[in-house]
Structures are given as C-alpha cells and as structure tokens.
Amino acid sequence: MKFQGTEEYVATPELRMAVNAAITLQRPLLLKGEPGTGKTMLAEQLAKSLDTELIQWHIKSTTKAHQGLYEYDAVSRLRDSQLGVDKVHDIKNYIVKGKLWEAFTADKPVVLLIDEIDKADIEFPNDLLLELDKMEFYCYETQERIVAKHRPIILITSNNEKELPDAFLRRCFFHYIDFPDAETMKDIVEVHYPGIRNELVAEAMDVFFDVRKVPGLKKKPSTSELIDWLKLLMADDIGVEMLRNKDSSKAIPPMYGALVKNEQDVQLLEKLAFMSRRKG
C-alpha cells in the first residue's frame, strides 16, 4: 500500500513519505500543523486512495480513552430489567462498541482517525498506549479479549494546544505539515476550482499572503479560508482590479470576513490602513 495523493488532495513529497513510512513501520502517524492545512482531509483521502473504510474518532475536552474501546450502558440494562425485557440476560446487548473496537474487528485494514487528540485530558494519550501498541484490549463485562483482525492505519492530529507525553510520542511517526508555498497553493486552488482564472488567483494570493505577513495578527488565515474567500470572490464577481488596488484606504480586502476571524485582527488591519492614510 503506497499513498501518492489523490485528484482531490495535493500531498507534498514530504507528506507522502511520512504517510508511507508510518504504514511501513506500522506506527500511528502524528500530524501537526496550522489549523486548516488539511490534516483531517488527509485521512479521508488516504482511505479513498486505499479503497478502505475511514473510522473517525473526534476528540473533545470531555472524551475519555475507554470510550474509544467500549462503554457499558448500565442504565439501559437497569431499565430493561425493571420492564422485564428478555434481552437483559445477555450483557453483550448493553456494550456500546467504540471506534477502536470497530477498527480492530473490521474485515480489512481501515484508516482510523483520532482527531485533535490534544483537546483531551493530558492522561488521554497515555491511557491508549497499550491498545495502540498491542492492538488488543480486554472487555471485562463480557470476559473477552478483542484482538485486531488487521492492524488499522492510524492517523492522529494535534493542533498543539497542549504537549503530548514522551511515551506516547515515542510510539508515533511524526510529521509537521508546513504551510503551503505559493506553487503548492496554486495546485490546491486548482483542485478545488478547476479552470479558475489565473489572474484572479494570482491577485487573491498576493493579498492572502500579505495578510498572513501582518505582524501581530492573532490568527493567520489558513488554506481552507483562502478556498472560501475565492468562492466568495467568484460568487460576487469581484474583479481583479479591486484586488489589485493598492490605495492605502482599501487596506482591508473585500469579503475580509472569510480571512480574518476575530475583532482584534480586524482592528489591527483598520489601524494599519489609518496609519497608511496619515502617512499619505
């Protein structure tokens, strides 16, 4: 199994190498990078390219590691026992399988995405060490050992909200997705909008990268935000001339709400425009 990218996903040579190395080593691939650089989409496209199922486990601040294995629904069993429901005698009816259980018991190797692992408690990664290492776990309620039929291809994403434990990092293959350069970004735009006018893309990207260079910006616009912004520019038929306008009073780009996502950054751009007008 070799990942070469897909028609819908532009993967750099470094990223393709990382994916294939993780598959060869049979290690989870830990992906970091700015939000919006395609970490989650990579899992979707990897599953598509390998013609296999994608199982997604989206982590929240309240997520516990055991939920990825299974949960025992004691409340439903108690209610059914009070109602005299027949299935109450088989505890298996009250075991809710988690995403790891699904991945371990699949009939062929699947892609398992553990998305935004850094959102959970600091102990969450350590609580999964044995399961990810041995590819098995024990269900105490049913007295059975769940062993992976096939080792899943595991992708784990992190936005660096908190540090991950060393013991966990040691078991992963790591790759940081760099922000795309101009040429790669053009390829990404072409994937999303085939045949888009080159002149519009060139001017929009100039504005986009200029905004990213503004010092003090709290949140730099990402790849996904550029894609959204281009869609708005095309929908409103905003011409190249408006983007090309270097008038300092027009320092904030049209439809800026797709690029700038908080009031501090809007105020910063407005302040820069005001200062430019005064100098003018």
Side-chain angles (χ1 to χ4, degrees):
M1 292 186 293
K2 289 289 183 181
F3 177 64
Q4 299 296 335
T6 68
E7 293 181 357
E8 300 171 29
Y9 190 90
V10 177
T12 62
E14 294 80 12
L15 180 56
R16 295 198 299 270
M17 180 277 296
V19 172
N20 292 319
I23 293 173
T24 301
L25 292 173
Q26 296 187 325
R27 297 274 189 181
L29 174 59
L30 175 61
L31 292 167
K32 291 187 179 182
E34 288 185 34
T37 48
K39 298 187 294 295
T40 302
M41 186 180 289
L42 172 61
E44 298 169 0
Q45 295 302 314
L46 176 59
K48 182 177 179 180
S49 70
L50 299 178
D51 190 26
T52 191
E53 181 185 359
L54 171 65
I55 296 176
Q56 302 186 60
W57 186 15
H58 298 289
I59 307 303
K60 301 177 182 178
S61 59
T62 55
T63 303
K64 301 299 180 185
H66 70 84
Q67 293 172 318
L69 308 179
Y70 68 91
E71 291 186 272
Y72 169 48
D73 192 353
V75 175
S76 292
R77 194 181 189 200
L78 176 61
R79 184 186 63 240
D80 288 349
S81 67
Q82 293 170 339
L83 296 173
V85 177
D86 211 27
K87 70 175 186 177
V88 74
H89 301 294
D90 188 353
I91 197 171
K92 288 183 179 180
N93 293 320
Y94 303 94
I95 298 295
V96 181
K97 296 178 181 179
K99 300 300 183 181
L100 265 71
W101 190 320
E102 290 180 31
F104 285 4
T105 55
D107 291 329
K108 65 177 183 177
V110 301
V111 175
L112 172 63
L113 171 65
I114 304 177
D115 201 21
E116 298 188 331
I117 195 171
D118 53 323
K119 279 188 176 180
D121 183 84
I122 188 63
E123 290 304 320
F124 179 92
N126 280 337
D127 290 342
L128 287 176
L129 287 181
L130 181 63
E131 290 76 16
L132 295 180
D133 225 11
K134 301 295 185 182
M135 287 288 131
E136 63 179 57
F137 63 89
Y138 192 73
C139 179
Y140 293 94
E141 286 76 9
T142 62
Q143 301 292 300
E144 62 180 323
R145 186 171 299 280
I146 308 302
V147 181
K149 292 181 182 178
H150 307 279
R151 180 178 285 269
I153 299 168
I154 302 173
L155 270 65
I156 302 172
T157 70
S158 169
N159 287 325
N160 258 348
E161 291 184 13
K162 60 171 68 81
E163 289 295 322
L164 299 173
D166 288 345
F168 178 79
L169 294 174
R170 194 166 60 246
R171 289 164 169 82
C172 298
F173 188 93
F174 172 76
H175 181 71
Y176 185 89
I177 300 181
D178 289 318
F179 195 81
D181 58 23
E183 285 304 314
T184 305
M185 191 67 83
K186 286 179 184 177
D187 292 338
I188 293 171
V189 170
E190 182 63 30
V191 165
H192 287 272
Y193 305 120
I196 188 173
R197 287 183 298 150
N198 290 333
E199 201 176 12
L200 175 64
V201 173
E203 293 299 332
M205 282 180 51
D206 280 348
V207 174
F208 172 77
F209 280 108
D210 282 347
V211 171
R212 281 185 58 86
K213 291 175 186 174
V214 172
L217 209 62
K218 187 174 181 181
K219 183 194 178 304
K220 295 179 180 181
S222 67
T223 307
S224 60
E225 286 155 346
L226 172 62
I227 299 302
D228 289 344
W229 187 49
L230 281 168
K231 184 175 182 179
L232 288 174
L233 295 180
M234 291 187 292
D236 278 30
D237 198 23
I238 292 177
V240 173
E241 288 304 318
M242 185 177 292
L243 296 176
R244 190 177 289 158
N245 192 334
K246 301 302 181 184
D247 183 353
S248 59
S249 65
K250 310 289 186 184
I252 298 184
M255 302 289 183
Y256 66 84
L259 296 176
V260 185
K261 297 299 178 72
N262 60 67
E263 63 277 12
Q264 295 98 314
D265 289 345
V266 173
Q267 290 167 3
L268 176 60
L269 292 179
E270 288 174 341
K271 182 178 179 181
L272 291 173
F274 174 74
M275 292 172 66
S276 296
R277 285 197 298 271
R278 283 182 61 87
K279 288 180 180 177

